[in-house]
Amino acid sequence: MTGPVSPFAFVDGALDRADHLRDDPDTLATLWPQARVVVLEDDGRAFAGDDTRLFAPDGAAIGGGPGTAIFLGMRDGQAWFAQAARRLSIDAPARIDLRSAATQWNAFDATVFAQARAMLHWHTRHAFCGVCGGELAFVRAGWLGQCARCGSEHYPRTDQAIIAAVSDGQRLLLGRQRNWPPRRWSVIAGFVEPGESLEQTVAREVLEETGVRVLRCRYVASQPWPFPGSLMLGFLAEAGPDVPVVGDELDDARWFDADTIRAGLARDWSVGPEEDEGGIALSAPISIARWLIESWLASVTR
């Protein structure tokens, strides 16, 4: 699939999921020798070469057939799989985490790494049935868990979360968590609860975390966020000029004017301001959070 270049990571270069092949083990076995295999450690890091680029051996180098490997999809006639390193006897010169890869790798490699990480995390965390506790057997090339005891079926889980750039018309509402580096700020985010619409989640999360009442909001974009398995649903929201009052989740929440936001975006996000410099540091360029901040700034400075 092709289209406009995304302003954040884990979207561009997505594989053709080729769902019809998940029930075709014979074809997958035929594709295996020339297939590429993304290999991940249990901590989510991927195999990398000496140059820290993606190290994805082909099936012939691994040997055998797909076995327990998860079929990720197709690209230009070549199959891609994911496999846990502990199941293989091969090694690689280095390991790399997904956040680092997203800033260093091309879009396709980072996106396929993200898909592999999310799927292997689901396998690791869902080895047993949530209904009866029986052991799951993964079928459909890794995309369906079947309980050997009660027959329940389990599908890959994605946790939906909203992320919102909230403005009072002239200022942007940002919060910071206690475990973040000094002076790091970002937009407000939170998970969707059962029975909620996305718009209701935006209003509830912003009110709970900051005490600010959202008047209206609109959806603008989404980003897979495999840390470990979320989908971030981005909104631009309008709110009254309430004074922020933080709850239990945030260390602080404040309104920031356009000049402060502009200076924060111009600063090296990975370093942040010196203690005596003042100013703020904002979210990494790989994130939809930063794109939402940039989108808000563009809307108030046109």
Side-chain angles (χ1 to χ4, degrees):
M1 180 182 297
T2 61
V5 175
S6 172
F8 36 78
F10 314 134
V11 176
D12 293 325
L15 292 166
D16 172 1
R17 301 291 178 109
D19 177 83
H20 64 286
L21 292 179
R22 296 173 185 173
D23 289 314
D24 191 348
D26 291 338
T27 297
L28 292 181
T30 300
L31 292 169
W32 175 255
Q34 286 75 44
R36 299 287 300 280
V37 184
V38 182
V39 184
L40 272 65
E41 298 283 6
D42 288 342
D43 62 6
R45 293 179 301 154
F47 276 16
D50 287 323
D51 57 359
T52 72
R53 312 309 290 181
L54 175 64
F55 180 87
D58 58 31
I62 293 173
T68 59
I70 302 169
F71 173 61
L72 299 177
M74 301 290 296
R75 187 193 195 202
D76 297 331
Q78 185 175 50
W80 284 76
F81 290 82
Q83 181 61 286
R86 54 185 157 78
R87 295 182 178 273
L88 302 176
S89 58
I90 64 171
D91 200 0
R95 309 291 189 271
I96 188 169
D97 67 272
L98 182 55
R99 291 179 190 271
S100 298
T103 64
Q104 299 174 31
W105 292 2
N106 64 61
F108 171 76
D109 287 353
T111 297
V112 76
F113 181 2
Q115 182 189 354
R117 188 182 190 279
M119 284 299 297
L120 283 168
H121 181 271
W122 176 66
H123 273 229
T124 301
R125 295 298 180 91
H126 294 83
F128 298 94
C129 177
V131 178
C132 73
E135 187 171 0
L136 296 186
F138 291 100
V139 297
R140 296 205 76 230
W143 288 84
L144 173 64
Q146 289 184 332
C147 178
R149 183 184 297 172
C150 72
S152 295
E153 295 186 340
H154 301 264
Y155 293 88
R157 173 175 173 171
T158 297
D159 297 319
Q160 295 80 29
I162 63 87
I163 183 164
V166 181
S167 172
D168 67 355
Q170 296 298 319
R171 300 175 298 174
L172 183 65
L173 180 66
L174 300 179
R176 58 169 282 103
Q177 296 183 8
R178 293 177 178 85
N179 61 342
W180 285 358
R183 307 194 184 195
R184 175 62 54 80
W185 296 79
S186 190
V187 290
I188 308 303
F191 288 103
V192 180
E193 292 188 348
E196 277 188 325
S197 70
L198 299 179
E199 292 80 4
Q200 289 170 337
T201 305
V202 172
R204 176 184 57 78
E205 282 289 345
V206 173
L207 184 63
E208 287 178 356
E209 295 188 10
T210 70
V212 171
R213 295 163 295 175
V214 168
L215 303 176
R216 61 191 63 85
C217 64
R218 63 182 177 90
Y219 168 81
V220 287
S222 64
Q223 180 187 29
W225 194 246
F227 300 103
S230 299
L231 176 65
M232 306 303 294
L233 302 157
F235 283 79
L236 294 175
E238 300 174 30
D242 300 331
V243 176
V245 179
V246 296
D248 297 332
E249 297 185 35
L250 294 180
D251 186 50
D252 198 359
R254 301 179 193 175
W255 293 106
F256 291 91
D257 61 29
D259 287 341
T260 305
I261 297 297
R262 187 179 298 105
L265 290 171
R267 182 173 288 110
D268 185 343
W269 69 272
S270 63
V271 176
E274 296 292 337
E275 191 63 33
D276 59 353
E277 178 188 351
I280 61 174
L282 297 171
S283 307
I286 69 168
S287 67
I288 191 174
R290 189 178 184 93
W291 178 78
L292 286 169
I293 295 169
E294 292 171 341
S295 297
W296 171 80
L297 182 63
S299 73
V300 297
T301 57
R302 277 200 288 262

